[in-house]
Amino acid sequence: MKKQLIIALLLAGGLWTSSCEKKATTEETATATEQNSSEGSAPVAANDPATNPNVTGQEAVNPNAPKPVMTFKETEFDFGDIKADKKVEHTFTFTNTGKAPLIIENASATCGCTVPEWPHEPVAPGETGKIKVVFDPTGKSGQQSKQITITANTDPQINQVSIKTNITGTVPQAGADGPVRM
């Protein structure tokens, strides 16, 4: 009988505590609304990034706003046959055929032997930009194909270009002859 009385008291206390918390939250909201209306300002929106740190502001982006479009002169370049000891480079040219400034966030290649360089300033609508790609064939031989992925504020967000080549005449890699003897 004592156990049942204690359990009943704990349940009653828990319910009373949770109802007080809800009441306090409701009272705080009402007080905040009264303060806003007395100051002549509109109630604070729950998804306002200025007042809610959990909102990133991405909700405010207009999905129907004009977007930049990245139009390449060419999306693939073939270097043909190259020697294994000579770096090669190619520049891909693109035009922003959209109606908003184009901003490239990143350009990356499928391997460290291919290094892209891209414009870090916005490309205005109608203007052209260049992405320079340097390929280092050291330690590679035969047919090679590398993709460069460009992330930008375009739709779609990802654009790709690629290079290919055939590497002839291998060059020995460092340490290929075994250990150095002294």
Side-chain angles (χ1 to χ4, degrees):
M1 180 85 170
K2 245 183 179 179
K3 284 185 180 179
Q4 290 175 345
L5 179 62
I6 291 173
I7 292 173
L9 287 173
L10 288 174
L11 283 173
L15 290 173
W16 180 72
T17 304
S18 66
S19 68
C20 288
E21 287 175 11
K22 275 189 177 176
K23 185 177 179 183
T25 304
T26 306
E27 288 175 1
E28 289 170 1
T29 305
T31 304
T33 304
E34 287 173 13
Q35 286 176 347
N36 284 340
S37 61
S38 68
E39 293 172 3
S41 62
V44 176
N47 62 352
D48 182 8
T51 58
N52 186 349
N54 297 322
V55 177
T56 63
Q58 294 296 325
E59 293 84 356
V61 174
N62 181 359
N64 298 325
K67 297 223 182 224
V69 177
M70 188 177 256
T71 305
F72 282 92
K73 195 175 203 180
E74 61 185 343
T75 58
E76 181 178 282
F77 182 77
D78 187 351
F79 287 108
D81 292 342
I82 63 170
K83 300 267 187 205
D85 62 346
K86 185 173 182 183
K87 290 182 183 181
V88 291
E89 66 179 59
H90 178 72
T91 301
F92 289 95
T93 303
F94 65 91
T95 303
N96 178 1
T97 57
K99 298 190 185 305
L102 189 152
I103 301 169
I104 298 176
E105 297 168 18
N106 191 23
S108 60
T110 52
C111 121
C113 60
T114 307
V115 180
E117 294 177 16
W118 67 93
H120 294 282
E121 61 280 343
V123 178
E127 297 294 316
T128 61
K130 296 177 185 222
I131 297 176
K132 181 172 120 178
V133 178
V134 178
F135 174 69
D136 184 357
T138 303
K140 301 192 178 324
S141 64
Q143 295 287 327
Q144 299 289 316
S145 179
K146 306 296 176 189
Q147 284 199 314
I148 296 87
T149 302
I150 301 128
T151 307
N153 64 334
T154 56
D155 190 18
Q157 189 176 9
I158 303 292
N159 291 281
Q160 291 186 326
V161 293
S162 62
I163 58 170
K164 62 182 183 175
T165 188
N166 181 41
I167 303 169
T168 60
T170 60
V171 174
Q173 294 181 0
D177 296 331
V180 177
R181 296 177 202 234
M182 300 225 185

